[in-house]
Amino acid sequence: MLRPAARAACIGEGRQDVTEFHVGQKVVCIDDRFKHVSKDQGIRKGQIYTIRWVGPFSHYIDGDFIGVKLLELDRGRDDGPEGYGYDDMPFRATRFRPLVKDRIGSLRALLAPKRSGTAPAPKKKETV
């Protein structure tokens, strides 16, 4: 049985973030391009979706990954000429990021200095 939340390693631009996804969470698509797939996969970059399932998934070509299924989209059976035979196959979690309601506040938090438990000691003035 899957836990209600799964940790997904989201890799982007040379850094690694670990984001916790959970059922009911709003997410934004950040990658809607599929290499070597001509069939429209239904997701759109910048579109907001709701997670209805999250968990580990094993694909015989793409390997193991954390996947998400979306409330707004049921992929159906993937058994066409380019299909893999899966029923409602999940998308890779790395195609999404959590929806941030206060984007400016989130950016400010990145710029703010990190606070530790103690205040820095004041600098002493030198006397000449």
Side-chain angles (χ1 to χ4, degrees), residues 15-34:
R15 62 183 177 80
Q16 183 171 2
D17 297 323
V18 178
T19 304
E20 190 138 330
F21 289 104
H22 60 273
V23 173
Q25 181 179 18
K26 298 284 187 184
V27 293
V28 177
C29 177
I30 58 172
D31 180 11
D32 64 356
R33 293 179 176 235
F34 292 80

Side-chain angles (χ1 to χ4, degrees), residues 71-111:
L71 189 62
E72 297 81 2
L73 186 66
D74 185 327
R75 297 178 85 178
R77 184 120 179 103
D78 189 21
D79 56 2
E82 294 180 359
Y84 298 108
Y86 293 103
D87 188 30
D88 194 24
M89 189 172 122
F91 294 101
R92 285 183 177 272
T94 54
R95 293 186 176 279
F96 303 90
R97 70 162 173 77
L99 177 64
V100 178
K101 292 183 181 182
D102 181 9
R103 296 178 83 180
I104 299 297
S106 297
L107 293 173
R108 278 193 209 113
L110 290 173
L111 296 174

Side-chain angles (χ1 to χ4, degrees), residues 5-54:
R7 296 186 73 77
C10 297
I11 301 172
E13 314 228 345
R15 62 183 177 80
Q16 183 171 2
D17 297 323
V18 178
T19 304
E20 190 138 330
F21 289 104
H22 60 273
V23 173
Q25 181 179 18
K26 298 284 187 184
V27 293
V28 177
C29 177
I30 58 172
D31 180 11
D32 64 356
R33 293 179 176 235
F34 292 80
K35 293 181 182 178
H36 312 295
V37 177
S38 60
K39 182 180 173 187
D40 182 17
Q41 299 300 303
I43 58 173
R44 300 290 179 266
K45 187 174 182 176
Q47 183 72 35
I48 297 169
Y49 299 97
T50 309
I51 293 178
R52 67 176 159 92
W53 179 91
V54 61

